[in-house]
Amino acid sequence: MKESSGGTRPRCLVTGATGYIGGRLVPALLDAGHRVRAAVRDPRRLRDHPWADRVEVVAADVRDAGSVRAAMRDVDVAYYLVHALGSGPGFEERDREAARIFGEQARAAGVGRIVYLGALTPDGVPERELSPHLRSRAEVGRVLLASGVPTAVLRAAVVIGSGSASFEILRHLTERLPVMVTPSWVRTSIQPVAVRDVIRWLVGCAGLPAEVNRAFDIGGPDVLTYRDMMRRYAEVAGLPHRLILPVPVLTPGLSGLWIGLVTPVPPSIARPLAESLRHEVVCREHDIARYVPDPPGGALGFDEALRLALRRIKEARVDTRWSSASVPGAPSDPLPTDPDWSGGTLYRDERELTVPVAPDALWRVIEGVGGENGWYSFPLAWAVRGRLDRFVGGVGLRRGRRDRQRLRVGDSLDFWRVEEIVPGELLRLRAEMRLPGPAWLDLSVTRDERGRTVYRQRALFHPRGLLGHVYWWSVWPFHAVVFGGMARNITAAARSAPPRSAG
């Protein structure tokens, strides 16, 4: 193992390393100089994480004492980031049993500290009146604090960051519904917190003094109602003002079903989170700053946390679902391993054809699209789309292209902009037509396992607000003609093109 000037680096065990917080905590711990052991039930689930080759991976189930005992060996700090939310009836008992096993095995292994991320609970409300989700998170914290191992319990409300279930509910409700009939809990006060600050506090807890064994409330500087958060989300995202009409008839159970209908967040997760929103969750203290000092300027405010969470869409990195497979620039960035329902909606139209030509012949056709060469599909449809774009103030098709055969990054190409070129392999275009959301078109050349040339075409669209969704589904019936025809005609042109002269 590597050593720092002060000796061997402390080893941190991270359970729940495939989860939203765990997947962001691991690289932060590595950056802070810690050695990391990632404990997951199925190590294969870590293969797509960009940091997987920098950590020790062990198979462990927190409800299996033997596997937890093995994972705890030689560990200095153990992070408990698992819970049974969404696993059906009896999740409270499963959470309780898992926490008991974790605490017992940590004590037996001589672990120096446990760190647990729990949930902020309302002040003055008897625990029996809490939602099952909040009640279970509070009980897990108590079990770990009583384990005999110094424990830090961080209690947070709504975590703001792409991929957080609470944030994704907020995102989808606000983006999809310009007018909302909502449960009365939209008037409840909440103290949201940016995921960047959550990760910073979690990393800092690895260095707490041994005598610290307590819970800490963590939150951002803003206390808002859920209605305030939806309205401010709309403002930051550039959406029209949202009309929000609270009604008392929507019970927590009904509102959970309502969220499941409107958003792609699974009902098994959405319902317990919705039930918890009826409680006011505001920090009662900020003692964590005595041990993990706030950065200059303090914790991130709600609006800035939103901007960070939405940043990757504006930067238009679409190599995977949202971003490249590299380590994100900040905890608020999406990860390729986040759930499919996170990161907002990204509509796709994908086509793939095998072409009996050399790759360079296909690439010449791809690099020649647009302008006088056209788009190889339903010319009337492209012309009409161009005129409509000009009618609403867009650029239309009048810009053409700089060079009939060659393209460079930054070139305008009708109502597209060349965003990326990998010569002979990829042409990525970003739409500059007037659309209710950003769009891209990828045209690429590759080879299959048999060495044959393959043409791949991918249109991507990120809808902005309800209008964006309506737009996509209104044009979807024409995709087979426009995009399907484009794929067929580009490959046909490559087959019929004369070979390039050697001179």
Side-chain angles (χ1 to χ4, degrees), residues 92-106:
E92 292 181 81
E93 182 178 346
R94 290 191 291 275
D95 268 346
R96 182 187 314 116
E97 178 66 8
R100 182 189 62 79
I101 290 171
F102 193 84
E104 289 177 350
Q105 296 306 319

Side-chain angles (χ1 to χ4, degrees), residues 85 133 158-177 180 183 185-186 190 226 229-230 233 255-277 306 341-344:
L85 178 66
H133 165 59
V158 172
V159 177
I160 304 299
S162 182
S164 160
S166 297
F167 174 75
E168 295 301 333
I169 290 173
L170 173 68
R171 181 208 299 267
H172 287 290
L173 287 178
T174 310
E175 291 194 349
R176 295 187 175 191
L177 298 176
M180 288 174 267
W185 48 249
V186 296
I190 299 168
Y226 205 87
M229 291 198 297
M230 288 191 284
Y233 181 102
S255 64
L257 295 174
W258 171 71
I259 290 173
L261 177 66
V262 174
T263 80
V265 179
S268 59
I269 295 175
R271 181 165 183 166
L273 290 177
E275 291 176 348
S276 300
L277 289 172
L306 284 179
W341 44 262
S342 69

Side-chain angles (χ1 to χ4, degrees), residues 91-92 122 125-137 252 271-279:
F91 78 89
E92 292 181 81
V125 177
E127 194 166 296
R128 64 180 180 276
E129 296 180 13
L130 297 178
S131 71
H133 165 59
L134 290 184
R135 188 167 58 236
S136 179
R137 302 301 289 272
R271 181 165 183 166
L273 290 177
E275 291 176 348
S276 300
L277 289 172
R278 72 177 189 266
H279 301 295

Side-chain angles (χ1 to χ4, degrees), residues 356-499:
V357 299
D360 65 324
L362 177 57
W363 177 251
R364 287 198 298 272
V365 178
I366 290 174
E367 195 176 12
V369 298
E372 295 179 5
N373 301 325
W375 292 91
Y376 292 92
S377 172
F378 202 180
L380 178 61
W382 287 95
V384 170
R385 185 65 183 86
R387 291 191 180 96
L388 287 174
D389 192 55
R390 290 186 64 181
F391 178 75
V392 296
V395 297
L397 295 172
R398 58 188 171 185
R399 296 188 304 187
R401 51 182 293 154
R402 175 189 58 83
D403 184 288
R404 185 180 177 86
Q405 293 182 319
R406 303 295 182 190
L407 289 174
R408 298 177 298 188
V409 172
D411 279 356
S412 60
L413 184 60
D414 295 329
F415 43 42
W416 303 90
R417 178 76 60 181
V418 179
E419 185 170 273
E420 183 175 354
I421 294 180
V422 180
E425 297 180 15
L426 170 69
L427 171 63
R428 172 165 296 151
L429 306 175
R430 180 185 174 105
E432 292 191 336
M433 64 196 81
R434 291 296 182 93
L435 291 171
W440 300 264
L441 178 63
D442 283 0
L443 311 177
S444 64
V445 182
T446 186
R447 288 184 182 272
D448 64 13
E449 65 280 357
R450 297 167 58 182
R452 299 176 299 180
T453 301
V454 177
Y455 170 73
R456 289 181 175 154
Q457 176 181 299
R458 182 178 66 162
L460 302 171
F461 178 64
H462 168 59
R464 182 180 294 120
L466 180 61
L467 182 60
H469 294 276
V470 172
Y471 169 81
W472 174 265
W473 290 112
S474 67
V475 300
W476 179 80
F478 304 101
H479 285 184
V481 176
V482 176
F483 290 127
M486 185 177 183
R488 291 190 299 271
N489 293 333
I490 283 178
T491 54
R495 288 195 299 269
S496 61

Side-chain angles (χ1 to χ4, degrees), residues 64-84:
D64 176 67
S67 66
V68 174
R69 184 181 311 118
M72 291 283 188
R73 189 175 299 117
D74 299 324
V75 164
D76 302 296
V77 181
Y79 286 89
Y80 191 74
L81 302 174
V82 296
H83 56 87

Side-chain angles (χ1 to χ4, degrees), residues 210-418:
E211 65 270 15
V212 175
N213 185 64
R214 56 162 292 182
F216 296 94
D217 293 351
I218 58 173
D222 301 309
V223 176
L224 307 163
T225 67
Y226 205 87
R227 177 165 53 184
D228 292 334
M229 291 198 297
M230 288 191 284
R231 286 176 171 167
R232 288 171 72 165
Y233 181 102
E235 182 177 346
V236 171
L239 299 171
H241 178 74
R242 269 34 192 164
L243 180 60
I244 302 167
L245 306 172
V247 294
V249 296
L250 280 175
T251 65
L254 287 175
S255 64
L257 295 174
W258 171 71
I259 290 173
L261 177 66
V262 174
T263 80
V265 179
S268 59
I269 295 175
R271 181 165 183 166
L273 290 177
E275 291 176 348
S276 300
L277 289 172
R278 72 177 189 266
H279 301 295
E280 183 174 282
V281 280
V282 177
C283 295
R284 295 174 290 273
E285 43 83 12
H286 188 53
D287 295 349
I288 188 67
R290 293 166 49 193
Y291 304 98
V292 185
D294 289 337
L300 280 181
F302 180 74
D303 289 359
E304 183 58 27
L306 284 179
R307 292 187 185 96
L308 287 175
L310 298 174
R311 181 177 62 180
R312 278 298 170 117
I313 297 304
K314 296 177 181 178
E315 292 180 352
R317 298 299 300 162
V318 292
D319 295 333
T320 59
R321 190 169 65 251
W322 290 115
S323 59
S324 69
S326 62
V327 177
S332 49
D333 290 340
L335 281 174
T337 47
D338 286 344
D340 290 339
W341 44 262
S342 69
T345 302
L346 188 65
Y347 290 122
R348 297 168 173 261
D349 183 283
E350 297 181 286
R351 314 274 168 169
E352 181 176 305
L353 291 173
T354 302
V355 196
V357 299
D360 65 324
L362 177 57
W363 177 251
R364 287 198 298 272
V365 178
I366 290 174
E367 195 176 12
V369 298
E372 295 179 5
N373 301 325
W375 292 91
Y376 292 92
S377 172
F378 202 180
L380 178 61
W382 287 95
V384 170
R385 185 65 183 86
R387 291 191 180 96
L388 287 174
D389 192 55
R390 290 186 64 181
F391 178 75
V392 296
V395 297
L397 295 172
R398 58 188 171 185
R399 296 188 304 187
R401 51 182 293 154
R402 175 189 58 83
D403 184 288
R404 185 180 177 86
Q405 293 182 319
R406 303 295 182 190
L407 289 174
R408 298 177 298 188
V409 172
D411 279 356
S412 60
L413 184 60
D414 295 329
F415 43 42
W416 303 90
R417 178 76 60 181
V418 179

